Amino acid sequence: MTTSPAVERLLARMKRLPVLSSFVLRFQHLLSSPNCNTGQIAELLSEDPVVTGRIIRLANSPLFHRYKEVTSVREAVVFLGLEQVREVVLSLSIISLFPLKAGEKCFDTHLFWHHSLSSAHIARHLAGAYSLASPEEAYTAGLLHDIGKILLNHFFPEEYGKVVQKALQMGGNYLAYEREVFGADHCEVGEALALKWALPRELTATLRFHHNPSPEMSPLVALVGFSNLFSKQIGFAFPWEFRPLIFSSDPFWRRLCQHGEDVATIDEELFTFQIEDVVPRIREIIAMSMKGDD
């Protein structure tokens, strides 16, 4: 994969690209080990007091009905489970690269992260339930699929504001407005960041092609493309993005049905309820990202 001259010029204008912390990379590596255990996870988490505080805060939040207060990171890991701890650590780490701000007038980063996190949960749920992909990779891909948007807004807020304003006024093809202003769209920019981060090839492809379905796309690309659309369907969409999603006519959905025989049998109403059930947890993660570190 190579980046276009327009993307290279954009990257050159960015003073310092965000990088994944060594802590996150070590955490991901530890979780991938077959010998990983709760004690090792708790020990590593304890090296980062911010992450420790937030994991404990989540375990004690009203989302969970605890009869006893959680006071240690080990207790929190046992209570929440490795899957949920992985989600929180990755989500908070990615969000922290682009600090949330109050009172933003153009690009609503709170809505952006609500959309990204809900897309991640949708992708993980489908991946696990229908053996379409690794649930962990699906979650990461769903979380990062629109990272090009936040990157452009972070470094070029005035120019990106023009994209948003045009989309609000004119509707139509948002990607075309990005190309008009920047010479490239957020999919291309997201792919370039993924290459800089040395993310796996298939995960990188989800950032590049989640708006561009093709008959040859991988299950992971189809999964993220559909999750992106379904997240908007349940309310996490910018005003210019929403459109009714009809499963049977969506190319991403049709591709998923080719890879998982039971996918076509999904009850849309029940599936919507299952995803909306995790929305309070998504809101809590974003709220934790806004708070000062204890």
Side-chain angles (χ1 to χ4, degrees):
M1 295 183 185
T2 57
T3 54
S4 68
V7 173
E8 289 294 343
R9 287 193 293 271
L10 283 171
L11 295 179
R13 290 174 59 195
M14 297 177 186
K15 294 181 180 178
R16 195 169 105 185
L17 282 173
V19 295
L20 291 173
S21 70
S22 60
F23 172 80
V24 173
L25 297 176
R26 289 166 57 209
F27 180 75
Q28 295 282 69
H29 178 73
L30 177 59
L31 284 179
S32 66
S33 168
N35 300 317
C36 172
N37 59 54
T38 300
Q40 292 172 316
I41 293 289
E43 183 178 353
L44 178 57
L45 290 175
S46 297
E47 294 181 19
D48 190 320
V50 173
V51 172
T52 296
R54 288 173 173 173
I55 291 291
I56 293 173
R57 181 187 299 164
L58 179 65
N60 285 308
S61 76
L63 296 173
F64 306 102
H65 303 290
R66 289 285 296 170
Y67 65 89
K68 178 184 176 184
E69 183 181 11
V70 172
T71 58
S72 73
V73 67
R74 188 184 182 103
E75 284 182 289
V77 171
V78 171
F79 175 64
L80 294 173
L82 293 184
E83 183 179 275
Q84 199 158 188
V85 169
R86 182 201 299 266
E87 289 177 11
V88 173
V89 171
L90 180 62
S91 300
L92 290 176
S93 299
I94 296 297
I95 293 173
S96 70
L97 297 176
F98 306 96
L100 289 165
K101 302 173 184 177
E104 290 170 302
K105 295 181 180 179
C106 290
F107 186 76
D108 186 343
T109 53
H110 299 78
L111 178 56
F112 171 86
W113 287 118
H114 275 100
H115 169 71
S116 298
L117 285 165
S118 65
S119 297
H121 279 281
I122 294 163
R124 191 202 65 194
H125 177 87
L126 289 173
Y130 300 97
S131 302
L132 296 167
S134 157
E136 294 78 17
E137 189 173 29
Y139 185 90
T140 303
L143 180 67
L144 294 175
H145 76 280
D146 270 344
I147 201 74
K149 285 184 181 179
I150 202 81
L151 191 65
L152 287 170
N153 182 69
H154 180 75
F155 283 101
F156 314 115
E158 290 187 13
E159 290 167 90
Y160 207 70
K162 294 176 183 178
V163 174
V164 172
Q165 289 301 319
K166 190 159 188 177
L168 285 169
Q169 294 167 6
M170 306 289 291
N173 191 334
Y174 186 77
L175 296 176
Y177 301 147
E178 290 179 329
R179 296 188 201 108
E180 183 181 312
V181 172
F182 294 105
D185 59 45
H186 71 270
C187 302
E188 298 171 88
V189 173
E191 177 191 39
L193 182 62
L195 291 172
K196 296 288 185 184
W197 283 355
L199 295 181
R201 185 180 183 86
E202 190 173 1
L203 198 158
T204 300
T206 65
L207 277 67
R208 180 68 179 86
F209 299 113
H210 65 274
H211 285 295
N212 188 21
S214 71
E216 300 80 26
M217 62 185 155
S218 70
L220 188 62
V221 171
L223 192 58
V224 172
F226 173 77
S227 299
N228 169 55
L229 294 173
F230 193 78
S231 173
K232 296 171 183 177
Q233 179 80 7
I234 63 173
F236 297 120
F238 290 100
W240 59 85
E241 290 184 314
F242 180 79
R243 64 177 176 81
L245 173 62
I246 301 172
F247 282 28
S248 60
S249 62
D250 178 65
F252 292 115
W253 178 255
R254 291 202 300 268
R255 184 65 169 161
L256 290 178
C257 290
Q258 293 174 355
H259 289 286
E261 294 182 359
D262 296 332
V263 174
T265 66
I266 287 178
D267 183 315
E268 293 182 34
E269 188 174 334
L270 175 61
F271 180 55
T272 300
F273 176 79
Q274 290 171 329
I275 297 303
E276 288 181 338
D277 192 47
V278 302
V279 170
R281 195 193 322 162
I282 291 172
R283 297 193 190 283
E284 181 67 19
I285 290 173
I286 293 174
M288 286 194 294
S289 301
M290 286 291 290
K291 293 175 182 177
D293 302 330
D294 295 334

